Amino acid sequence: MHLHYDGELTIEAPQEKVWAFIQDPDQVGHCLPDLQELTVKDDRHFDAVVRIGVGPVRGRFKMEVELQPEEAPRRGGLRLRGSGMGSGLQLTARIELDPAGEGATRFRWEADADVSGPLATVGGRLLDNQARKITEQLFATIRAKLEDQAGSAPTGTGGAGGGA
Amino acid sequence: MAVAERVLGQPVKRKEDPRFIQGAGRYLDDIVLPRMLYMAIVRSPYAHARVKAIPKEAALSVPGVVAVITGEDLEKAGLAWMPTLAGDKQMVLAVGKVLFQGQEVAAVVAETREAAFDGAHALAQAVEYEPLPVVVDPLKALEPDAPILREDREQKTNHIWHWEVGDRDRTERAFAEAEVVVRQEVYYPRVHPAPLEPCGCIADYNKATERLTFYVTSQAPHAHRTLLALVSGLPEHKIRVISPDVGGGFGNKVPVYPGYVCAVVASVQLGRPVKWVETRTENLQSTHFARDFHMTCEIAADRDGRVKALRVKTIADHGAFDAAANPSKFPAGLFSIVTGSYDFPTAFVEVDAVYTNKAPGGVAYRCSFRVTEASYLIERTMDVLADELGMDPVELRLKNFIPPEKFPYPSPLGWTYDSGNYAETLKKAMDIIGYWDLRKEQEEKRKRGELMGIGVSTFTEIVGAGPAHTFDIAGIKMFDSCEIRVHPTGKVLVRTGVRHQGQGHETTFAQIVADELGIPVDDVLVEEGDTDTAPYGLGTYASRSTPTAGAATAMAARRVRDKARKIAAHLLEASEEDVVWENGRFHVAGAPGRSVTFQEVAFAAYTNPPEGLEPGLEAVYYYNPPNLTFPNGAYICVVDIDKGTGQVKVRRFVAVDDCGTVINPLVVEGQVHGGLTEGFGIAFMQEIVYDENGNNLSSDFSTYLLPTAMETPKWETDRTVTPSPHHPIGAKGVGESPNVGSPAAFVNAVVDALSHLGVRHIDMPITPWKIWKILREHGIE
């Protein structure tokens, strides 16, 4: 099953700060919804374990993530390989940052994912919405954390949405 | 003395039904042996991937798991690959890479079924894969830049074979000179036999006796024994295959599956019985599919509707391994029956087979080796021609039928049709349904904007494989056999080389014997499925049981009767030549009062055998059919279409079958009802769908739909009888006719309902969504 998503959001934080955040495995890793474990391997790689539930297919999902900066602080990519619940996921994402007025950043992104196994065959008809929800949560958390930091307000808990 | 009523042709109630109806059938999973272990299989989530690591400890650390088998283990024993029936080879467990989703990667053996599944689940999480590009479209698989799927083969291409038959030059000329040519692309989707009982086995290797008892859901137990011996190296006389009651086969239980080999290996290694039963999803994902033929059909004709030539090109999607269950000489099965019921002067057919990242197979789902694809194609394209010519589909058919006087009829693609009277059969179906009144009704409804269609299918099958000079499975000739033992009290035990899965052999074969020997049907017990006791035969599929084993049964009974006559002569103190068999008794010619019954003869065979004659009364017959049989039928379907929802309602369906001599009309009717219902499912509900990554999106019964009593229309059946001239009792076989013949009737009816909009063809399955879209495209709301 091939999935494609894209989107655009404005973050009330300067472009350099946004870039630094999303290129930091520890910071961005902690924004993953339903995160259970995070292991930062180096400044470009991290492993994460998240809980996923798509219809009747539920369990732990392991992900290996590689950040691929291309042109700081403007363009970069991300590669993700995931496995769990007898299923596999390959995802590639591209991001682009632009200034959006005073102290704000326009964040454009698109992602393509290929899913194999029960997540696709059993969860197939539910997967699209579920994946969209997880993606939206991820970006909402990134934005919330960045804007919290920019406003030096107390840091939020980050993990939006409880057990799917 | 009253003339005994012949039991052949009587609607005898099925002898096997009481145990099935009462839940007393004994299926594979009902068998529990002492010290039995259970096996579960780890399968690939990917359609194409390298297998990087299979960490066995993930399963071995699960409580109750006793062993894990991988392809690497099997490789050491030379068992990592096994031969397929099509002359290809198939991985038993993944070696290096996987080629379809659901492919067998490892086998986990445990003390309980639950532990086996837990172990398999744990190992499935731990297997590491490197995904590779996936090819699901057979046309893309043939493109030069397509990834080569089968790296094990010398030929670095996804093309498997090319097969052609017929007269190319003559056919090309006929097309060049033709007044009218129609061309239609037709896809017969990938479907699945989906028997309610999935596949499974118990391998019970006894280390002390060195014997393997192999219980298996098998349509062909003898063939499975020989293949097991050849694959495993175990001596064949030390293998006993037992196929207990089988909960539906439909072709799905002809092949040897990797799970069988793994269970045998596990039992031999562990010295304990090992049971493996697949789940529904495993059945739909990994056992053999049917059809998946991308066909292009062209007919050349005169403007008055006389057909001149037929040309067919087909791409056959075989999935990851060419495991089609076909006779050796026929890689595309009996697809060359595609000229159907029509008198084509010439024809030419080409088939190209292709590998893709899908489950392997190409079994004959209730079909005699690709006959279904052929019948569907010609019946569909004849309607396209009728539309082109502005003729009524029945008039076009009546004009082109092979006339009765031309039988035995040599077809342009090499078959000799045995018998038939197609026009009579069609006219009978038209009378029953009131064809011309329906056409009037349709005309009136069209004026009112209502959608009603009438579909006709007048198919000819080719079944009963087959003559030994042409037909074999993996080298074994396709004869079949029967052994009859008459006990001293005149009761009879009959064993055959086939194995029924609901066809009713315990009743119909008993009727054949009872008829030949003049005894009650209840005095005959038919037993099948145990290779230690039954004579060798090739099994039940391709509507071959009655044409082959049924013939062997009649011939074996006649052998018994020949010996019985000698004993009767002794009892009647007459010479053998003077003894006549009549009305179920032997009597002296001209003196009907001096007679003995078969029971008296049977008793004498053991108590008072004549001097110089062997005691006992039994016979074996191995029947090599001189030709195939050609059952046929005329099906007419009436549909009404709901414009708002696109829902098709089958208002009436009349099926007139000609299967030659009818042994038991009740059984024939049951077979026809079942086959029509399956055909209905194929036409309207079913398709094995893969997404672009090779995920099988139809791997359970919520996504692969079977018709239930809710959806199934009412069937009206009738018959014509044109006996087969070469079969001992004139029977032709009927099990598959309704599945072969009905899809075209359904689709023709739907297309007919929309033909005034310019619709000429719709591929199956015809879902409401498909119709709804077509209606909207034509501005119908």
Side-chain angles (χ1 to χ4, degrees):
Chain A
M1 175 167 275
H2 184 83
L3 302 168
H4 176 90
Y5 303 101
D6 51 45
E8 182 178 321
L9 64 161
T10 306
I11 299 177
E12 297 295 331
Q15 188 175 340
E16 280 75 17
K17 257 195 115 161
V18 176
W19 178 261
F21 186 94
I22 61 172
Q23 293 301 326
D24 179 347
D26 189 51
Q27 297 258 38
V28 79
H30 275 106
C31 294
L32 288 167
D34 294 313
L35 179 71
Q36 295 203 313
E37 288 168 32
L38 179 72
T39 314
V40 176
K41 296 202 287 204
D42 59 35
D43 61 356
R44 292 228 183 138
H45 297 87
F46 65 93
D47 294 350
V49 177
V50 296
R51 261 168 39 81
I52 289 189
V54 179
V57 188
R58 288 162 183 276
R60 281 158 59 89
F61 205 73
K62 285 189 276 186
M63 303 192 287
E64 293 171 25
V65 184
E66 181 190 355
L67 303 172
Q68 299 169 317
E70 284 166 23
E71 188 197 328
R74 256 179 48 76
R75 275 190 312 121
L78 176 150
R79 278 173 61 89
L80 184 154
R81 285 190 48 185
S83 66
M85 301 167 293
S87 303
L89 167 73
Q90 274 82 45
L91 180 144
T92 56
R94 291 157 299 283
I95 55 156
E96 218 168 296
L97 304 182
D98 296 298
E102 184 94 4
T105 305
R106 187 171 67 145
F107 187 143
R108 284 182 296 174
W109 61 274
E110 66 178 323
D112 286 280
D114 288 295
V115 187
S116 296
L119 267 180
T121 57
V122 182
R125 284 171 293 179
L126 306 165
L127 184 62
D128 189 24
N129 273 335
Q130 190 68 18
R132 196 179 295 277
K133 201 169 107 190
I134 291 170
T135 313
E136 281 166 6
Q137 281 172 10
L138 171 68
F139 287 113
T141 308
I142 290 174
R143 178 162 67 182
K145 285 198 175 186
L146 274 162
E147 291 180 354
D148 276 359
Q149 288 172 10
S152 63
T155 312
T157 52
Chain B
M1 192 180 296
V3 172
E5 196 179 12
R6 288 195 72 175
V7 289
L8 204 71
Q10 293 303 311
V12 177
K13 280 190 186 172
R14 299 207 320 168
K15 289 154 74 98
E16 46 269 79
D17 279 345
R19 75 173 187 275
F20 293 145
I21 291 167
Q22 294 173 39
R26 184 168 175 265
Y27 298 94
L28 185 274
D29 209 12
D30 292 324
I31 300 169
V32 177
L33 302 178
R35 300 176 64 243
M36 190 166 78
L37 297 166
Y38 295 82
M39 188 179 89
I41 290 179
V42 177
R43 295 176 184 277
S44 168
Y46 291 101
H48 195 199
R50 295 215 185 281
V51 182
K52 309 292 276 185
I54 307 173
K56 285 186 181 183
E57 30 332 321
L60 290 169
S61 61
V62 171
V65 171
V66 297
V68 176
I69 304 169
T70 64
E72 214 170 286
D73 301 324
L74 293 180
E75 222 165 18
K76 287 171 202 156
L79 289 174
W81 293 79
M82 64 178 184
T84 70
L85 294 177
D88 194 1
K89 55 179 187 164
Q90 175 177 359
M91 279 187 237
V92 176
L93 291 173
V95 186
K97 71 177 199 170
V98 286
L99 287 153
F100 68 95
Q101 183 181 62
Q103 188 179 331
E104 298 79 2
V105 172
V108 176
V109 185
E111 295 288 348
T112 64
R113 194 186 299 250
E114 293 75 12
F117 274 100
D118 283 350
H121 182 74
L123 183 52
Q125 310 303 307
V127 178
E128 289 173 34
Y129 300 94
E130 179 68 45
L132 296 168
V134 173
V135 185
V136 291
D137 180 342
L139 301 173
K140 287 195 176 140
L142 291 174
E143 286 173 5
D145 58 342
I148 302 302
L149 305 183
R150 290 288 299 277
E151 293 162 357
D152 58 288
R153 290 171 86 232
E154 271 177 35
Q155 307 92 310
K156 297 301 171 209
T157 165
N158 297 323
H159 182 261
I160 313 173
W161 45 256
H162 172 85
W163 182 73
E164 57 181 57
V165 61
D167 189 332
R168 183 197 290 263
D169 295 340
R170 193 176 162 202
T171 304
E172 299 293 328
R173 276 201 305 279
F175 270 91
E177 294 160 5
E179 292 174 4
V180 179
V181 172
V182 290
R183 179 176 191 278
Q184 184 62 53
E185 288 184 13
V186 174
Y187 175 52
Y188 202 128
R190 178 175 279 235
V191 294
H192 197 283
L196 282 188
E197 179 203 35
C199 299
C201 68
I202 303 168
D204 181 14
Y205 184 74
N206 184 320
K207 283 193 168 173
T209 61
E210 296 178 327
R211 274 214 91 178
L212 172 71
T213 307
F214 189 64
Y215 304 85
V216 61
T217 52
S218 172
Q219 295 177 229
H222 289 280
H224 281 176
R225 186 187 69 197
T226 302
L227 290 171
L228 258 181
L230 294 172
V231 170
S232 70
L234 293 169
E236 192 171 358
H237 64 299
K238 295 204 165 178
I239 302 174
R240 176 184 188 185
V241 173
I242 298 175
S243 177
D245 283 334
V246 178
F250 314 115
N252 191 236
K253 290 168 181 170
V254 171
V256 170
Y257 291 119
Y260 301 166
V261 179
C262 293
V264 170
V265 169
S267 182
V268 169
Q269 278 182 0
L270 300 166
R272 291 172 67 178
V274 175
K275 179 188 272 190
W276 169 67
V277 179
E278 65 184 5
T279 63
R280 172 60 49 200
T281 293
E282 288 179 295
N283 180 258
L284 287 169
Q285 273 191 339
S286 69
T287 63
H288 290 188
F289 72 93
R291 329 287 193 238
D292 215 345
F293 258 33
H294 299 254
M295 307 176 279
T296 305
C297 186
E298 294 168 286
I299 299 178
D302 284 351
R303 202 156 296 284
D304 69 354
R306 176 80 54 196
V307 296
K308 290 293 180 188
L310 177 74
R311 190 160 58 190
V312 176
K313 267 180 102 73
T314 293
I315 301 289
D317 185 342
H318 281 241
F321 308 98
D322 182 11
N326 284 324
S328 305
K329 287 187 188 166
F330 300 95
L334 308 184
F335 187 63
S336 52
I337 192 68
V338 68
T339 53
S341 306
Y342 313 106
D343 194 2
F344 279 94
T346 179
F348 182 66
V349 173
E350 293 174 274
V351 183
D352 287 277
V354 181
Y355 290 120
T356 58
N357 289 121
K358 299 182 194 165
V363 289
Y365 167 21
R366 202 169 185 151
C367 147
S368 182
F369 312 119
R370 305 287 191 188
V371 171
T372 310
E373 291 89 323
S375 292
Y376 177 65
L377 185 67
I378 186 63
E379 289 305 313
R380 197 66 277 292
T381 315
M382 285 300 276
D383 264 32
V384 173
L385 177 62
D387 191 59
E388 175 73 24
L389 296 168
M391 275 178 89
D392 190 280
V394 301
E395 284 173 350
L396 180 67
R397 284 172 167 81
L398 288 166
K399 185 161 215 156
N400 287 291
F401 278 149
I402 299 158
E405 62 274 14
K406 273 205 175 182
F407 290 93
Y409 170 79
S411 89
L413 297 176
W415 303 111
T416 304
Y417 292 24
D418 58 351
S419 64
N421 189 338
Y422 302 148
E424 183 199 346
T425 307
L426 174 57
K427 283 174 182 160
K428 189 165 193 177
M430 289 169 67
D431 285 348
I432 294 169
I433 208 158
Y435 185 81
W436 296 114
D437 288 342
L438 287 166
R439 282 288 173 211
K440 275 189 213 122
E441 183 192 339
Q442 183 187 34
E443 207 181 318
E444 286 158 17
K445 286 207 158 143
R446 268 197 188 155
K447 284 181 197 152
R448 296 202 298 270
E450 292 172 41
L451 300 174
M452 167 191 168
I454 307 155
V456 178
S457 168
T458 49
F459 61 94
T460 291
E461 267 215 283
I462 174 169
V463 308
H469 55 77
T470 317
F471 287 90
D472 69 88
I473 293 279
I476 306 161
K477 301 299 184 187
M478 292 187 76
F479 57 81
D480 227 291
S481 63
C482 175
E483 182 204 79
I484 296 177
R485 293 187 191 176
V486 182
H487 301 325
T489 52
K491 312 292 184 193
V492 175
L493 175 62
V494 176
R495 286 164 168 154
T496 78
V498 292
R499 204 307 160 237
H500 69 86
Q501 319 115 42
Q503 290 87 345
H505 297 177
E506 292 177 35
T507 311
T508 52
F509 289 179
Q511 283 178 265
I512 294 174
V513 172
D515 189 70
E516 296 288 340
L517 300 182
I519 57 175
V521 179
D522 282 346
D523 285 0
V524 185
L525 178 73
V526 176
E527 202 183 74
E528 294 176 349
D530 183 341
T531 59
D532 264 14
T533 57
Y536 201 97
L538 269 282
T540 294
Y541 44 86
S543 282
R544 68 185 298 279
S545 296
T546 297
T548 61
T553 301
M555 298 307 281
R558 288 173 195 177
R559 272 192 180 156
V560 166
R561 210 170 62 202
D562 286 346
K563 182 169 179 185
R565 184 194 306 275
K566 292 188 204 307
I567 301 166
H570 161 71
L571 294 177
L572 294 166
E573 295 175 337
S575 76
E576 197 189 328
E577 299 76 49
D578 293 337
V579 172
V580 182
W581 169 255
E582 211 171 54
N583 297 331
R585 299 170 76 91
F586 292 104
H587 67 82
V588 179
R594 277 180 66 201
S595 71
V596 287
T597 64
F598 181 78
Q599 286 85 353
E600 287 165 336
V601 169
F603 197 64
Y606 294 89
T607 58
N608 175 23
E611 200 78 32
L613 192 72
E614 276 179 65
L617 189 55
E618 56 184 68
V620 185
Y621 200 99
Y622 282 76
Y623 184 78
N624 175 18
N627 188 9
L628 295 118
T629 58
F630 296 76
N632 53 84
Y635 294 175
I636 305 181
C637 173
V638 185
V639 299
D640 297 298
I641 298 178
D642 184 320
K643 287 186 287 186
T645 61
Q647 186 76 41
V648 176
K649 185 176 185 301
V650 175
R651 189 204 306 173
R652 284 188 73 189
F653 195 103
V654 168
V656 179
D657 276 286
D658 184 350
C659 57
T661 304
V662 172
I663 300 165
N664 182 331
L666 209 56
V667 169
V668 168
E669 192 175 356
Q671 289 284 300
V672 172
H673 277 224
L676 291 176
T677 305
E678 286 181 328
F680 174 81
I682 292 168
F684 293 108
M685 300 163 77
Q686 303 173 340
E687 181 175 8
I688 296 284
V689 178
Y690 287 87
D691 71 11
E692 59 275 65
N693 292 329
N695 288 302
N696 179 337
L697 301 180
S698 329
S699 54
D700 58 41
F701 280 162
S702 72
T703 45
Y704 190 80
L705 305 178
L706 300 194
T708 69
M710 291 299 290
E711 295 83 20
T712 305
K714 178 178 156 57
W715 310 120
E716 301 169 56
T717 65
D718 211 319
R719 282 180 301 280
T720 51
V721 177
T722 319
S724 172
H726 62 75
H727 186 279
I729 59 167
K732 290 186 168 186
V734 75
E736 300 168 337
S737 292
N739 194 325
V740 169
S742 67
F746 294 118
V747 177
N748 287 350
V750 174
V751 172
D752 183 59
L754 306 172
S755 61
H756 60 296
L757 306 174
V759 174
R760 270 203 173 168
H761 176 68
I762 306 168
D763 276 328
M764 300 185 288
I766 297 180
T767 57
W769 169 231
K770 231 179 232 181
I771 297 295
W772 191 89
K773 278 193 296 185
I774 291 168
L775 293 175
R776 265 58 191 171
E777 280 162 19
H778 289 88
I780 293 181
E781 302 278 333

